[in-house]
Amino acid sequence: MKPIVYFSREITPEKVLELYRTLGKELPGKIAVKVHSGEEGNQNFLHPEFWKSVVDAVNGTVVECNTAYEGARNYTEQHRRLLRKHGWSEVFDVDILDAEGPDLELPIPNGSVLKKDIVGKDIENYDSMLVLSHFKGHPMGGFGGALKQLSIGCASSAGKANIHGAGKPKEMWTTEQNAFLESMADAAESVVKLFDGKIVYINVMKNMSVDCDCCAVAEDPCIKDMGVLVSTDPVAIDQACLDLVYASDDPGKAHFVERVESRNGVHTIEAAAELGIGSREYELVTVE
């Protein structure tokens, strides 16, 4: 059977929670809620108030990891300051998974590029994961959604450099593009396997710039808001988001599509499907 992706054009905290409940999957135990905390200066990231209804409903702990580049989030102390400044720590319990070393290595025996993923060790403290993704463009990956949150998002600072460098951290800004995209898919597989089916994905197509929330200086959104999607399949939900962009008649679509295609962004989805962690074919169920 094709995986189901639930979709609504209404973008509200209440609709996010409604779609999560429509999915009908209960996440067990202690729940890690993966968010993007937003780089200092970024104007497009989704704020904690937007996510509050669904995070409270699952009684989850918001989790993040430090970055591998200069900014306000590359070291634990300053990342914690930004989490407070952006309101995350005021609203939720927050855990920086790689706040203290050593990192945790997850094996990827079938990885096409990487044979291990390096994540924050505190990820082992959780039984299941709710992946909250702001779907938008990305300067390097073409787009960012559920697969990016699983890979770059859950990787420690060292793990992010490892993915970007396709296993050679010192080459993180110069690696061959498809090798980087395949490394993201490999890393995503390791987190999917760690939680063994106990993951739910929510993608929100709002404030869609061609740039990521990791950019301190980002372009303003170029394409209209489209909706909320929920699934248990990370490949299907990202593919559905791309399909909605391509089906749009918004004049800003061309700019967004150029960003995706110039980086061969769909290849991350292709590689993840090849690894067997999801399906590019899906059933889109619209919830009014």
Side-chain angles (χ1 to χ4, degrees):
M1 290 179 60
K2 294 178 183 178
I4 294 175
V5 179
Y6 290 99
F7 169 67
S8 175
R9 292 178 178 83
E10 181 183 331
I11 306 176
T12 63
E14 295 75 20
K15 185 59 72 171
V16 170
L17 178 56
E18 179 187 338
L19 288 185
Y20 170 75
R21 287 178 168 156
T22 299
L23 190 65
K25 184 176 180 66
E26 290 291 326
L27 293 173
K30 189 175 181 182
I31 301 170
V33 181
K34 180 66 185 72
V35 304
H36 195 304
S37 53
E39 186 55 70
E40 187 165 30
N42 185 277
Q43 74 276 32
N44 298 319
F45 75 96
L46 300 180
H47 290 250
E49 291 77 15
F50 179 81
W51 295 117
K52 189 175 189 306
S53 294
V54 72
V55 178
D56 285 352
V58 302
N59 193 29
T61 299
V62 163
V63 302
E64 256 286 33
C65 286
N66 293 323
T67 62
Y69 54 83
E70 292 297 321
R73 301 184 299 136
N74 57 332
Y75 295 106
T76 297
E77 185 177 345
Q78 61 188 29
H79 196 172
R80 282 183 173 143
R81 282 199 298 268
L82 188 68
L83 285 162
R84 289 193 296 271
K85 182 177 180 180
H86 281 174
W88 296 101
S89 304
E90 304 300 317
V91 179
F92 306 117
D93 291 332
V94 177
D95 184 3
I96 298 176
L97 298 178
D98 62 336
E100 298 177 358
D103 292 335
L104 174 68
E105 293 188 0
L106 301 178
I108 318 173
N110 298 320
S112 59
V113 177
L114 300 181
K115 297 304 177 185
K116 67 178 181 182
D117 186 22
I118 306 169
V119 300
K121 71 177 190 315
D122 287 358
I123 201 170
E124 285 195 306
N125 296 335
Y126 298 91
D127 303 297
S128 56
M129 179 171 272
L130 177 61
V131 179
L132 304 181
S133 303
H134 174 207
F135 183 86
K136 68 285 179 192
H138 192 277
M140 297 186 71
F143 77 93
L147 291 169
K148 178 179 175 290
Q149 278 283 59
L150 287 170
S151 55
I152 297 289
C154 291
S156 67
S157 182
K160 287 176 171 63
N162 191 55
I163 295 168
H164 272 289
K168 299 176 182 178
K170 292 182 179 179
E171 299 177 14
M172 65 178 292
W173 305 125
T174 58
T175 193
E176 193 273 326
Q177 179 67 5
N178 278 359
F180 161 56
L181 300 175
E182 290 161 12
S183 295
M184 278 207 291
D186 289 343
E189 185 205 29
S190 74
V191 178
V192 168
K193 288 195 170 180
L194 176 69
F195 286 106
D196 192 25
K198 292 173 287 188
I199 310 185
V200 168
Y201 306 93
I202 301 178
N203 282 12
V204 175
M205 302 180 75
K206 176 181 172 65
N207 299 348
M208 287 187 289
S209 167
V210 296
D211 290 326
C212 181
D213 298 343
C214 56
C215 300
V217 179
E219 282 192 24
D220 286 333
C222 65
I223 188 170
K224 66 184 178 184
D225 297 345
M226 293 188 184
V228 178
L229 299 89
V230 178
S231 185
T232 56
D233 187 312
V235 175
I237 198 169
D238 278 1
Q239 183 68 62
C241 287
L242 278 187
D243 290 344
L244 286 166
V245 168
Y246 276 93
S248 171
D249 59 2
D250 189 283
K253 176 176 79 171
H255 188 40
F256 195 95
V257 167
E258 188 279 332
R259 174 57 58 93
V260 174
E261 293 184 349
S262 65
R263 274 65 167 181
N264 196 25
V266 72
H267 190 54
T268 306
I269 292 175
E270 294 170 343
E274 187 70 22
L275 288 168
I277 63 171
S279 169
R280 297 185 69 187
E281 296 185 359
Y282 57 89
E283 180 183 353
L284 192 70
V285 176
T286 299
V287 178
E288 299 298 342

